[in-house]
Amino acid sequence: MEFDLVWLLLGLPGAFVLGWLASRLDLRQWRAENRRAPKAYFKGLNYLLNEQQDQAIDAFIEAVQNDPDTSELHFALGNLFRRRGEYDRAVRVHEHLLSRGDLGPKDRDRAQHALALDFLKAGLLDRAEEALAHLEGTEFENPARLARLAIYERSRDWPQAAAVARKLDGVQGDFSQRQAHYLCEQAHERLARQDSEGALALFAQAQAIAPQAARPRMEQARLHLQQGRCDAAYAILAALAREAPMALPLAAPLLAQAARPCGKVAEAQALLEAHYAQAPSLDVLGAIVTLSQYGAPADDTQAGRHWYLRHLQQEPSLVAAAQWLAGERLEHEQHHPQIQRALEHATQPLLRYRCAACGFEARQHFWQCPGCQSWDSYPPRRIEEL
């Protein structure tokens, strides 16, 4: 017993010294790791500010390895991967965050949103839609709905798009015109199946949702004209001219077409001239000239052409000049065709429409831009008039 007690008394100071040394080593290591983690983090931030994304990724990876529990570093790393187009690595980072049991509700929603963006950017629309659906009832609800709306539009799932647009209406702005477009797209699908009555019903519903929208009225009028109901078509277009005059340049050729068979040429011409006096437009001008020539003698090539000269007195329009010159006799008439071809070639770019959102130009007017997918981004006027 005495021998054991002596060794115990001798061993206690030694154990204390060894424990103290071990704690000092652990403390130094902990301090060193803490110094390395912020250093790597700030190094990555510096690279990011200097737009050196490769070096920033390496620095953030080092920081994550030193401090794997820091969620902010994971978010930064995942976003960098997504910006570089490395979507698989971004997905792994955000899925790792979601698998952590210690992640708070806000960070979990944030990681879910980031994961949905990864899938969306990678073109995995089904997985993106599923990930976005989990964000209902969170602070990311409205951004998620907007992203789902873009998915449904891209896949032309108009009923689903309309359902999401109804939820966004009044919360993220006015989505009534967007809903009207969806109904018009569904109406065109009905027309492809020879269901003209169903299409007319959808056009009427679209007009009720967005009374100021031009598309539903124009689509109804065009369909009535195709079916020989010129009076109904003219009535719709005349109402459009009164209630949405800014869209009349788009509807003017259709109005002139509807006025002739139903005997309302004079009325239509007066309506177009009144609008032209308030807001001169090339398309309204063309419709006025067309109606002026209706009923004129066959040998009268000058009927209504004075309107081009009146337009030139107000606007230095190359398009109007070319249209006027097309019916004129020149001193050297043998050169007229070549001159006319040159003028028509020069005016083609001026007759295009340009998207106000992305600048995409097209020969025809689009309700949805083929370039940026924006709705109602094409003004109703040609490039020369902008």
Side-chain angles (χ1 to χ4, degrees):
M1 291 292 293
E2 294 178 2
F3 176 79
D4 292 340
L5 184 60
V6 171
W7 279 104
L8 180 61
L9 292 173
L10 291 175
L12 281 174
F16 175 78
V17 171
L18 290 173
W20 181 80
L21 290 174
S23 67
R24 294 295 294 173
L25 289 173
D26 287 342
L27 184 61
R28 288 179 181 178
Q29 184 179 359
W30 178 77
R31 287 176 176 171
E33 287 176 355
N34 275 353
R35 284 195 298 269
R36 285 198 299 270
K39 184 178 180 182
Y41 177 80
F42 288 120
K43 187 193 301 182
L45 185 60
N46 183 54
Y47 284 133
L48 194 58
L49 290 173
N50 290 316
E51 298 185 357
Q52 295 175 281
Q53 294 187 8
D54 291 336
Q55 293 88 337
I57 286 174
D58 293 338
F60 282 134
I61 289 174
E62 179 186 347
V64 167
Q65 289 172 344
N66 291 331
D67 190 5
D69 294 329
T70 305
S71 59
E72 288 299 330
L73 291 177
H74 285 78
F75 282 120
L77 194 56
N79 291 338
L80 274 175
F81 283 142
R82 190 194 312 129
R83 287 179 61 183
R84 281 183 50 82
E86 299 181 46
Y87 304 121
D88 55 337
R89 300 179 75 180
V91 166
R92 286 200 299 272
V93 169
H94 293 129
E95 284 183 336
H96 171 70
L97 274 173
L98 286 170
S99 68
R100 284 172 47 179
D102 61 337
L103 201 64
K106 288 188 175 181
D107 281 344
R108 187 169 297 279
D109 294 339
R110 183 180 170 191
Q112 184 71 34
H113 183 245
L115 180 64
L117 293 181
D118 297 337
F119 289 140
L120 195 60
K121 290 290 186 180
L124 303 173
L125 301 186
D126 291 341
R127 298 185 70 179
E129 181 186 354
E130 182 182 354
L132 290 165
H134 291 307
L135 293 168
E136 287 290 319
T138 71
E139 63 177 301
F140 296 97
E141 179 180 70
N142 288 329
R145 286 175 176 174
L146 288 170
R148 286 170 62 199
L149 192 65
I151 291 173
Y152 295 139
E153 287 182 359
R154 192 187 304 184
S155 58
R156 302 184 68 80
D157 189 345
W158 305 119
Q160 288 273 42
V164 175
R166 283 193 293 271
K167 294 178 181 178
L168 289 168
D169 193 24
V171 179
Q172 289 291 109
D174 184 6
F175 278 76
S176 59
Q177 291 211 73
R178 189 84 69 95
Q179 294 179 63
H181 283 303
Y182 298 155
L183 288 167
C184 289
E185 294 293 340
Q186 293 178 71
H188 280 288
E189 293 175 355
R190 294 284 185 93
L191 287 174
R193 299 195 297 267
Q194 307 300 319
D195 182 9
S196 58
E197 293 305 316
L200 276 174
L202 287 172
F203 287 140
Q205 187 180 345
Q207 181 182 337
I209 290 176
Q212 298 302 314
R215 184 183 183 183
R217 296 175 187 266
M218 290 180 60
E219 299 281 16
Q220 287 182 79
R222 187 174 288 109
L223 185 53
H224 282 310
L225 270 178
Q226 291 172 359
Q227 296 176 342
R229 296 194 289 264
C230 62
D231 288 305
Y234 180 83
I236 290 171
L237 293 170
L240 171 65
R242 292 190 301 270
E243 297 171 20
M246 295 299 294
L248 188 57
L250 293 175
L254 203 58
L255 180 68
Q257 183 183 347
R260 292 195 297 268
C262 62
K264 296 187 177 179
V265 171
E267 180 182 327
Q269 188 166 350
L271 188 155
L272 290 170
E273 289 179 8
H275 183 276
Y276 180 85
Q278 297 294 323
S281 162
L282 288 173
D283 289 293
V284 174
L285 174 66
I288 291 172
V289 173
T290 299
L291 290 174
S292 300
Q293 293 172 344
Y294 182 74
D299 57 347
D300 185 4
T301 60
Q302 299 301 312
R305 294 180 51 75
H306 62 280
W307 279 94
Y308 291 129
L309 294 177
R310 289 181 60 177
H311 187 80
L312 288 170
Q313 290 172 357
Q314 302 177 54
E315 303 286 342
S317 169
L318 181 60
V319 173
Q323 290 172 339
W324 175 80
L325 194 61
E328 295 300 308
R329 295 187 61 84
L330 303 181
E331 181 179 354
H332 302 285
E333 187 61 25
Q334 68 275 19
H335 302 307
H336 195 175
Q338 297 93 318
I339 295 172
Q340 194 61 39
R341 280 198 301 271
L343 284 172
E344 289 175 357
H345 179 75
T347 57
Q348 285 306 310
L350 302 176
L351 287 170
R352 294 174 181 168
Y353 296 94
R354 179 186 294 146
C355 174
C358 70
F360 187 92
E361 295 182 5
R363 292 183 179 180
Q364 70 180 82
H365 182 276
F366 286 101
W367 300 108
Q368 184 183 27
C369 175
C372 64
Q373 307 302 309
S374 298
W375 292 95
D376 294 314
S377 59
Y378 276 87
R381 293 176 173 273
R382 314 278 180 166
I383 286 179
E384 189 186 55
E385 303 173 279
L386 298 178

